[in-house]
């Protein structure tokens, strides 16, 4: 939940978005499973890189995943 709250923009969206909440859960699970911080860091970097690539080369794709950024 803290991960999702850190990825909000409070004036426009005071609730935590679902996408970062799920990513935070996945990163926590991976950390607990591996015991290493590098694995969730790599997952986070891969998600950021994917978002940048899709935003740059296929911006209409972002409309398809907008449901991830609705209220929990």
């Amino acid at each position: 939940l803290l991960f999702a709250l850190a990825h909000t923009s409070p004036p426009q969206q005071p609730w935590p978005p679902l996408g970062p909440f799920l990513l935070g859960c996945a990163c926590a699970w991976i950390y607990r499973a591996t015991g290493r911080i590098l694995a969730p860091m790599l997952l986070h970097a891969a998600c950021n890189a994917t978002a940048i690539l899709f935003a740059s080369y296929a911006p209409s794709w972002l409309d398809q995943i907008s449901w991830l950024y609705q209220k929990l």
Side-chain angles (χ1 to χ4, degrees):
L1 185 56
L2 290 175
F3 183 84
L5 288 172
H7 288 79
T8 61
S9 47
Q12 296 86 11
Q13 186 180 32
W15 57 84
L18 182 59
F21 176 75
L22 294 175
L23 178 59
C25 289
C27 286
W29 181 81
I30 289 172
Y31 174 73
R32 290 187 55 114
T34 64
R36 299 179 184 260
I37 195 67
L38 183 61
M41 287 173 64
L42 291 173
L43 176 61
H44 187 266
C47 288
N48 286 348
T50 302
I52 290 169
L53 288 173
F54 276 110
S56 298
Y57 296 108
S60 63
W61 178 81
L62 296 174
D63 295 332
Q64 301 297 319
I65 62 164
S66 64
W67 62 273
L68 287 172
Y69 293 91
Q70 304 299 321
K71 289 183 183 180
L72 287 178

